[in-house]
Amino acid sequence: MNLAPAAVAPAEADRLAAGRHHDPHAVLGAHPVPGGTVVLRALRPLARTVHAVLADGTRVPMEHDRAGVFTAAVPGDAPPDYRIACTYTAEGPETVADDPYRYAPTLGEMDLHLIGEGRHEELWRALGAHPRPEGTAFAVWAPGAQGVQLIGDFNHWDGTAHPMRSLGSSGVWELFVPGAGPGALYKFRVHGRDGGVRDKADPMAFAAQCPPETASVVHAPAHRWGDEVWMNERKARDWTREPMSVYEVHLPSWRPGLGYAELAQELVAHVRERGFTHVEFMPVAEHPFGGSWGYQVTSYYAPTARLGPPDGFRLLVDELHRAGIGVLLDWVPAHFPRDDWALARFDGSPTYEHPDPRRGEHPDWGTLVFDYGRTEVRNFLIANALFWLEEYHIDGLRVDAVASMIYLDYSRESGEWEPNAFGGRENLEALEFLRELNTVCHRRNPGIVMAAEESTAWPGVSRPVDHGGLGFGFKWNMGWMHDTLEYLKRDPVHRAHHHGEITFSMLYAYSENYILPLSHDEVVHGKSSLLYKQPGDEWRRFAGLRTLLAYMWAHPGKKLLFMGGEIGQGEEWSHEAGVQWWLLDHAFHRGVRALVDELNAGYTARPALWSRDCVPEGFRWIDGGDAEGNTLAFLRFGEDGGTLACVVNFSAVPHTGRRIGLPDTGPWNVLLDTDDERFGGSGFRGGLTRVRSEAQPWHGLPASAELDLPPLGVLWLEPGRKDEAGPA
């Protein structure tokens, strides 16, 4: 019997060698032919000898055909089990390896169908690198590529012998590599439609090299979760009616030098001691430039390797959950950097970015903008959100820079943007993306938090999609933040002329579900720290900071404080230097920390301060019009029937004998006095812990009490028992 195999067509071999063959499996691997013969072909450029080694040990010489393609024929009707043995020099060792081209595709028809429709909600299970017992399955979406080769440390970064196959119109390229396992480094060598060749990191990589290195890393999670109780309870949470006091953290600079494993001990202990209900991490997805603080992402599915392996981040989340602390994550779907090895022009053409520079380039940040109208791009982003929520047990996402997404003219002058189909400036595709994002995330993960950083007056950001909104659960209240800080920057003698800045927030407090943010953005770039935004001498500054925090914790809306704020850090935040923990050697800074501890304890224990945050029934002014005295007084009401009065003196002088209306007679306990000496205050009120309200109507309320208000101070009062004694 003649077993001489037919030669491969020259054009086919040349395309294989050039890395531009769309279906290398059609040429390489094992191919039964009529007459009881199986043709074996292997791509081994520069090999000196090549043999097919059958399961019984038989060695079949393979002859060089063309362009590195070696061919042999063996008898049989079905592909045999075989390996490829090669030598490259006369003295060199022989290498024996399994053949990637004898394996069937690892993606099913349903995967490809959902990818094509942009509806694969678990896209990370189809694309990326997936270790299996025999090796690793690699798949990447590159719809405009002429060819894709897999390169890595398992093939000496030479992809000539590892061309990938295109799986039809899906745009997906796939290859199974026997022997490649967890820890392997890899990239995709993409031959673009523009004629260029680029080595690209995997957009779906689950791990990445530590910057400045840029390769993707094969990863198999091994962490065993212990937060079942938290995750089960999360499904029933409604955070609009629960306490939410968020500690915002930039993980690499909280305590520089700590990795995920150390943070899982030290950060968790700190947050628990301070009494915060949640942490919010600035972006943890891998990013090449540390100075971007994580907001210019290159590997959307990989936690930064700066702090350790991905399982280390899982451990950190797990330990926070076990401590009863929720975990929110900053997420950046608004833009991505131009690094040539990452998402930019991935297949040699605009792939993830919008092809029109007026919509695909961000003028402020020098970055690229996602094409929200392309189904596969929307799928990539929505699946990424689900990936963090489900694979890393994240409890919610704070979506960055929403305003830049929804306005076509954002940071653009006339002529630099193109109106939508209706002549407007709204980015209709981005709006639809956000609605789909929130709908899918809430459907699959009830009880999560989806919060928008949206700095304009766009209506209905936190309104449900089926009621015409964008579907977020919360919106950052940038107006409250801006007005409050502007007011407090002024010397108290000038505040009377700007009283509206401090009261204006209540005119729109229930137009959205709000989070009050004192975030990292307010303590960088020459804006000064929260402490040094306050005017005056050292005592005034600390008193002003304590007043700001206590006023914020009583104001309707959830709370967010950036790290360092809890100790009254004096310098602006530096992502390199981190928090100035040494300041706790000084009494004023310890006083701020003690106040934050007490604010969180008092806040979480009293539904009046959070259960009606998002409905007007939870608030009533006592007196919001005392511009000359720089004071405010208001009531908070809880679903449990509880009441809390907050009285704020923003002036630098005390007000004695100030009568304040109250809803009931009898004793009122002083729950909080920010001027208390243990917080670093003057102790002006002498530690008085109770006042008595009498039946004298005042401020439209049936009762009232006389109070001595400390300078730059806040009092929280709550009703005592009727049988309690008078002032003490």
Side-chain angles (χ1 to χ4, degrees), residues 180-202:
L185 306 179
Y186 70 100
K187 283 187 178 182
F188 300 112
R189 181 160 291 163
V190 181
H191 297 256
R193 65 172 60 178
D194 60 352
V197 181
R198 299 169 179 84
D199 291 349
K200 292 286 192 176
D202 184 357

Side-chain angles (χ1 to χ4, degrees), residues 489-693:
K489 287 177 185 177
R490 307 179 193 280
D491 191 279
V493 299
H494 301 302
R495 289 175 180 171
H497 306 292
H498 301 274
H499 194 69
E501 290 178 343
I502 204 68
T503 59
F504 182 62
S505 62
M506 288 312 303
L507 294 181
Y508 61 88
Y510 304 106
S511 61
E512 302 276 3
N513 301 332
Y514 281 118
I515 294 173
L516 311 181
L518 293 178
S519 74
H520 66 278
D521 275 330
E522 310 319 314
V523 294
V524 291
H525 300 322
K527 296 179 183 177
S528 202
S529 65
L530 294 179
L531 178 66
Y532 280 94
K533 291 181 195 297
Q534 315 294 325
D537 59 17
E538 183 181 51
W539 189 92
R540 278 188 170 190
R541 284 175 168 163
F542 277 97
L545 176 58
R546 295 193 300 269
T547 300
L548 165 63
L549 295 174
Y551 160 68
M552 171 186 176
W553 254 252
H555 190 288
K558 309 308 179 183
K559 327 300 174 191
L560 181 141
L561 182 66
F562 182 57
M563 65 184 198
E566 80 276 25
I567 65 169
Q569 177 161 318
E571 300 297 323
E572 286 189 353
W573 169 59
S574 161
H575 74 276
E576 296 174 334
V579 179
Q580 297 175 313
W581 297 110
W582 57 268
L583 291 172
L584 290 171
D585 291 340
H586 302 278
F588 275 144
H589 294 279
R590 292 196 301 273
V592 174
R593 184 180 66 178
L595 175 66
V596 169
D597 293 357
E598 190 140 328
L599 287 174
N600 278 328
Y603 167 75
T604 55
R606 287 165 177 82
L609 289 173
W610 43 262
S611 62
R612 289 179 171 174
D613 264 331
C614 302
V615 292
E617 293 80 8
F619 178 91
R620 184 196 189 282
W621 281 115
I622 296 174
D623 181 10
D626 181 22
E628 290 301 320
N630 303 153
T631 70
L632 295 175
F634 54 86
L635 294 167
R636 297 296 309 277
F637 304 103
E639 290 182 345
D640 65 342
T643 303
L644 184 139
C646 178
V647 186
V648 186
N649 180 12
F650 285 115
S651 75
V653 297
H655 295 300
T656 58
R658 178 63 60 94
R659 184 163 290 276
I660 298 295
L662 292 169
D664 199 6
T665 60
W668 282 69
N669 295 326
V670 179
L671 175 63
L672 178 76
D673 176 358
T674 62
D675 190 52
D676 194 294
E677 291 180 349
R678 61 201 171 98
F679 303 137
S682 67
F684 169 76
R685 299 182 65 257
L688 188 68
T689 61
R690 192 174 297 118
V691 299
R692 183 161 291 277
S693 174

